[in-house]
Amino acid sequence: GFGSNVGVGAAVAVNVIDRNVAAQVLGGAQNRRYHGRDLLVPAEANNDGALDGGNINTIAAGIGGGGAVGGAASVAVNVISGGVTAEIGQGADVVAEHSIGVLAGNTQGINVFAGSLGIGASAAGIGLGTVVNVMDASTDARVHGSGTRVSALAKAPGGAIAVDAGDLADAGAIA
């Protein structure tokens, strides 16, 4: 905002993604048996704009100017929570002639800019920008349960499933 003597401006942005993604093969009370050529149980939350994921992109910018004093503030709060789970469990009995894969991945992210400009023509200009990012999501790939059985017979030559090592792509991005 602008004023002849004092001007104050503000900007606030709040974004929340709270999503749970699951891929499951479950046995349940019926002691189900699954038999097939290959079994892939993939669950992924990503940032490609698909329905099962998301990426937060935020800009919060405030401006305030006055003849004497100008002040502005901006605040951006971004939260990603929820979880990604791929699982075989609850007593499932799974047999694959070739390969079985249980894969979970989460590549969601936050891109944010928060800034402010305070302009005071004769006395002072003050600008303050604050960003709070919270990433509290879980990623699990598991085979579990006391009665769960999984057998991959590996009958196809070269039928291996490639799995990412799980290394952090940019360790410097987390500070």
Side-chain angles (χ1 to χ4, degrees):
F2 294 94
S4 59
N5 288 324
V6 176
V8 178
V12 176
V14 177
N15 302 288
V16 177
I17 295 177
D18 183 14
R19 181 176 309 267
N20 289 298
V21 178
Q24 302 170 315
V25 175
L26 304 175
Q30 294 81 21
N31 295 320
R32 293 187 182 115
R33 180 169 219 195
Y34 301 93
H35 190 150
R37 184 177 179 150
D38 291 296
L39 176 64
L40 184 60
V41 185
E44 182 176 7
N46 54 44
N47 60 6
D48 67 3
L51 293 176
D52 64 347
N55 201 49
I56 295 176
N57 298 302
T58 303
I59 296 175
I63 186 168
V69 177
S74 66
V75 176
V77 177
N78 303 297
V79 178
I80 294 180
S81 61
V84 178
T85 303
E87 65 182 328
I88 298 175
Q90 293 184 359
D93 184 359
V94 178
V95 177
E97 295 296 317
H98 299 151
S99 300
I100 296 174
V102 181
L103 310 172
N106 188 343
T107 57
Q108 293 176 310
I110 299 173
N111 300 308
V112 62
F113 168 80
S116 297
L117 177 62
I119 302 168
S122 64
I126 301 168
L128 173 67
T130 301
V131 174
V132 176
N133 293 327
V134 177
M135 296 185 78
D136 185 25
S138 63
T139 305
D140 297 304
R142 60 185 178 227
V143 175
H144 66 95
S146 61
T148 302
R149 293 183 302 234
V150 177
S151 301
L153 304 178
K155 291 183 178 177
I161 296 174
V163 178
D164 187 355
D167 294 331
L168 188 59
D170 183 5
I174 299 176

